Amino acid sequence: MSAPIGIDELLERVRVGYTRVDAREAYAVSRAGALLVDIRYQALRERDGLIPGALLIERNELEWRLDPRGSHRLPEATSHDLQVVVICNEGYASSLAAASLHALGLHRATDLTGGFQAWKSAGLPVAPA
């Protein structure tokens, strides 16, 4: 059995498996057809607003909604080649979520460095909740 690791080390390990995107890159790939997936909980969305066009999927439902072979998938979950950018509030939970999507075979999944707060700070579109 291997020694336990902390969350910081876990984040480092999972982030090695893919390239994260910054806010401007996330905006550009979304305009080119990638799915932006907001996993923030409702209170944060109500407080800070929404990214227009982003899918709202609670973190505990993410894998079920985006698995192209799943019985509970969203219509947008069309293939394992789907490009997905997962967005949480500050870019931590989204890294673990992106790694989980990779484990399902969604090899183009990534997350937004700095999360929604980075998106908002970059002056990108935000709508009221």
Side-chain angles (χ1 to χ4, degrees):
M1 188 162 131
S2 58
I5 63 170
I7 187 62
D8 293 330
E9 186 177 341
L10 178 61
L11 283 171
E12 285 179 29
R13 287 183 186 184
V14 300
R15 288 173 175 165
V16 168
Y18 62 92
T19 302
R20 302 178 81 204
V21 296
D22 68 22
R24 297 255 173 234
E25 291 168 319
Y27 181 73
V29 297
S30 72
R31 306 226 355 131
L35 288 181
L36 298 181
V37 178
D38 187 342
I39 63 169
R40 294 175 300 142
Y41 53 89
Q42 185 174 351
L44 288 176
R45 295 191 312 257
E46 289 174 358
R47 182 189 78 189
D48 295 337
L50 305 170
I51 296 173
L55 292 177
L56 304 177
I57 304 175
E58 296 286 335
R59 173 62 190 100
N60 63 328
E61 296 180 0
L62 184 68
E63 293 83 358
W64 284 266
R65 300 296 186 218
L66 293 182
D67 178 5
R69 295 193 284 183
S71 59
H72 298 290
R73 72 176 179 83
L74 293 173
E76 293 86 352
T78 55
S79 83
H80 286 92
D81 196 43
L82 186 64
Q83 187 173 14
V84 176
V85 179
V86 183
I87 302 165
C88 67
N89 194 49
E90 295 182 350
Y92 297 102
S94 58
S95 294
L96 299 175
S100 182
L101 293 177
H102 274 260
L104 282 176
L106 292 159
H107 63 98
R108 296 177 68 200
T110 188
D111 75 314
L112 173 57
T113 303
F116 178 85
Q117 296 307 320
W119 178 279
K120 189 174 179 179
S121 293
L124 294 168
V126 175

